[in-house]
Amino acid sequence: MRWNALLPALAVTTSLSCVDDAAARPLAFTGVRLIDGQSSKPIEDAVLIVDGERIVAAGSRTTVVVPSDAEIRDLHGRTIMPGLISDHSHVGIVNGIDVGAQNYTRENILAQLKAYTARGVTTVMALGLNGAIMPEIRAEAHAGRIPGADLFGVDRGIGVPDGGPPQAMIRVSSDQLFRPASAEEGRDAVRAMKERGTDMVKLWVDDFGGSVPAKMQPAVYAAVIDEAHRLGLLVAAHVHDLEDARAVVRVGADVLAHGVRDKPVDPDFVTLLEARHTWYIATLALDEATFAYADAPPWAQTPFVRTALSHDLKARFDDPV
């Protein structure tokens, strides 16, 4: 079963790499701690039954009947949970400590999708900065022909001339980002993304804390949102400031791709989000991740984290300077 990348992560789907699609017998995973996405607490000593490509039962040992012909796999001490969904990621931008267009390669993207799956993330939405090979890899991921997380994505995304996202930071090529200078150029960018089969539209509104000269003009983002909706596409907006977030929601943005970070949100803004049914991706760890490793916190020394780091990044985190 495939789930749209924008559905809640609590949808009960599980990726089990040990399941053989060709297996004729049901599989019963017993003795596990089960996080089912619905109960208030994990279910201890649980049973999960897989038949073919589907999970057919999951729950406590007292409520789930194990089929008489099932192959039983005792997994005491292990946890099974729904596959996590990353609503806001990027692929192929970073390789080790290197950032730039040279990293947008099939090899690098596939390695990143495998790394996501190894840590429980089974679906990734790549919100922009995607190159020409994105549709091909996405199709292969949807069909299950490549290992790693399923992949959805914004085609290129729409930024600001001499503005966000800062080219000095992302270093992408011209075929990874549109920077329209007018409302009509913004509409053209949306139509081009639609023709290439984008899953949604992404735009960058803010000025990255004043580090770039300009924000996206309201006439441009209003035109982008209007054109996207006309073509049946949802729009995610990169924001930082409360007033930018308020303005872009009022003209129809479907998703705020970051939380508000310049001041506390007010009740009127919360009411606005509720009234417009706007998704809010808080990205709580984003800013903290720029400095969290400096003090060598204990969690950063765990195998779960260490095995995810490239050699160069691990060396940088281990360097006292």
Side-chain angles (χ1 to χ4, degrees):
M1 180 182 295
R2 294 290 184 186
W3 292 82
N4 185 287
L6 293 179
L7 288 178
L10 293 182
V12 182
T13 59
T14 304
S15 174
L16 298 168
S17 60
C18 52
V19 175
D20 181 355
D21 290 342
R25 298 168 58 193
L27 285 172
F29 299 91
T30 63
V32 299
R33 176 184 297 108
L34 177 67
I35 300 172
D36 64 5
Q38 298 176 334
S39 307
S40 61
K41 296 180 179 179
I43 302 171
E44 302 295 340
D45 196 22
V47 177
L48 183 139
I49 310 296
V50 178
D51 193 353
E53 296 183 351
R54 299 189 66 85
I55 297 170
V56 296
S60 69
R61 184 182 291 275
T62 59
T63 60
V64 175
V65 177
V66 177
S68 59
D69 62 338
E71 177 184 342
I72 297 176
R73 300 188 183 178
D74 186 349
L75 297 180
H76 274 86
R78 308 290 288 275
T79 299
I80 292 179
M81 64 181 290
L84 300 173
I85 297 172
S86 175
D87 284 337
H88 186 172
S89 293
H90 295 279
V91 295
I93 305 300
V94 175
N95 189 357
I97 58 175
D98 181 54
V99 179
Q102 68 279 4
N103 299 323
Y104 204 86
T105 65
R106 177 183 178 85
E107 178 184 21
N108 192 30
I109 292 171
L110 295 190
Q112 291 173 2
L113 294 179
K114 288 178 68 175
Y116 274 116
T117 303
R119 285 150 190 85
V121 178
T122 56
T123 302
V124 169
M125 168 61 86
L127 277 184
L129 309 178
N130 294 303
I133 61 175
M134 170 69 179
E136 174 187 339
I137 297 176
R138 178 183 57 188
E140 292 183 67
H142 287 356
R145 295 198 300 269
I146 55 177
D150 197 4
L151 179 64
F152 292 80
V154 169
D155 175 65
R156 298 184 187 181
I158 299 174
V160 181
D162 299 320
Q167 179 61 13
M169 178 179 74
I170 58 172
R171 303 173 190 169
V172 296
S173 63
S174 59
D175 71 344
Q176 291 177 265
L177 181 67
F178 291 103
R179 292 189 186 271
S182 67
E184 191 53 42
E185 287 183 7
R187 290 183 184 273
D188 289 342
V190 173
R191 289 190 285 267
M193 293 168 67
K194 173 70 173 181
E195 288 177 5
R196 286 191 291 271
T198 190
D199 289 308
M200 62 187 302
V201 170
K202 163 77 173 290
L203 52 83
W204 282 262
V205 175
D206 64 275
D207 60 2
F208 284 69
S211 63
V212 292
K215 296 182 179 183
M216 181 174 285
Q217 292 299 306
V220 175
Y221 63 68
V224 166
I225 293 169
D226 179 70
E227 189 68 20
H229 288 174
R230 189 183 70 81
L231 296 175
L233 295 169
L234 299 177
V235 180
H238 180 292
V239 297
H240 183 280
D241 299 346
L242 175 60
E243 294 312 314
D244 290 335
R246 197 191 314 273
V248 77
V249 170
R250 282 174 174 163
V251 296
D254 304 285
V255 180
L256 292 180
H258 287 284
V260 169
R261 288 163 284 164
D262 69 324
K263 63 180 70 171
V265 301
D266 54 52
D268 288 345
F269 181 64
V270 176
T271 299
L272 177 65
L273 295 179
E274 292 175 338
R276 300 296 180 94
H277 303 288
T278 307
W279 284 66
Y280 188 93
I281 304 175
T283 48
L284 293 174
L286 177 68
D287 297 323
E288 184 180 358
T290 64
F291 59 81
Y293 293 91
D295 295 325
W299 56 262
Q301 309 305 316
T302 62
F304 183 83
V305 173
R306 297 287 291 182
T307 56
L309 303 178
S310 69
H311 173 78
D312 290 341
L313 192 56
K314 193 181 301 182
R316 175 168 287 185
F317 288 160
D318 290 344
D319 185 340
V321 176

